[in-house]
Amino acid sequence: MSDSPRAVFEKLLTGMVNRDFDNLWQLYAPDIVLEHPFAVPGPTVTRGREGLRRLLDELRDWFDMTANNVVIHETADPEVIVAEWDYETRVPGTDEQFTTANVIVMRVRDGQIVESRDYHNHAALAQIITG
């Protein structure tokens, strides 16, 4: 039996917090469509596992994060969940910390993420990165 959407999201969040970028891609279907509607400077769409691997590679030197206030909402569609959480983030090499809110709408089929719309606070992240 395949993992439920809830279980897949929990693995995804654990993998992000633990920086398991070498294995996270396995949670996604080969034809994944991953959208970041609030990305800066503009919305992005990542298609397929190769695109996803490139995206994950860009995160390797990123911030240290913990996840708090996680709430997972089941929907009428058994493949879809909506999750909310906060990342408590520390900028590497500094004592600077900040919190960002996150929402994800994720479709899981046969234990793999086939579609995901990730609403992260990219504007706050960009401000921290650029100073």
Side-chain angles (χ1 to χ4, degrees):
M1 181 170 213
S2 299
D3 284 339
S4 69
R6 176 184 290 270
V8 172
F9 171 76
E10 290 169 346
K11 287 179 181 180
L12 175 65
L13 194 57
T14 298
M16 288 297 294
V17 168
N18 292 333
R19 304 171 60 77
D20 189 13
F21 301 119
D22 290 328
N23 294 303
L24 278 172
W25 65 270
Q26 296 175 43
L27 296 173
Y28 294 85
D31 58 349
I32 177 64
V33 176
L34 173 62
E35 299 178 54
H36 288 103
F38 294 156
V40 173
T44 64
V45 177
T46 302
R47 297 181 189 281
R49 277 191 177 158
E50 279 310 307
L52 181 71
R53 284 184 187 175
R54 285 190 298 274
L55 181 65
L56 291 172
D57 281 345
E58 293 172 8
L59 299 177
R60 288 185 186 278
D61 297 325
W62 232 49
F63 309 102
D64 294 321
M65 302 178 292
T66 57
N68 299 311
N69 308 315
V70 179
V71 178
I72 301 171
H73 305 276
E74 306 286 336
T75 71
D77 183 334
E79 292 185 338
V80 176
I81 62 161
V82 177
E84 304 174 77
W85 74 100
D86 296 325
Y87 275 136
E88 193 70 37
T89 307
R90 185 184 61 78
V91 179
T94 74
D95 291 329
E96 188 173 0
Q97 294 189 10
F98 61 98
T99 302
T100 58
N102 305 272
V103 175
I104 188 172
V105 180
M106 188 171 75
R107 178 177 300 278
V108 174
R109 188 173 296 133
D110 299 325
Q112 293 188 313
I113 304 165
V114 294
E115 296 173 353
S116 188
R117 283 187 314 280
D118 298 11
Y119 299 91
H120 307 295
N121 190 343
H122 289 274
L125 297 172
Q127 185 175 6
I128 294 296
I129 292 168
T130 61

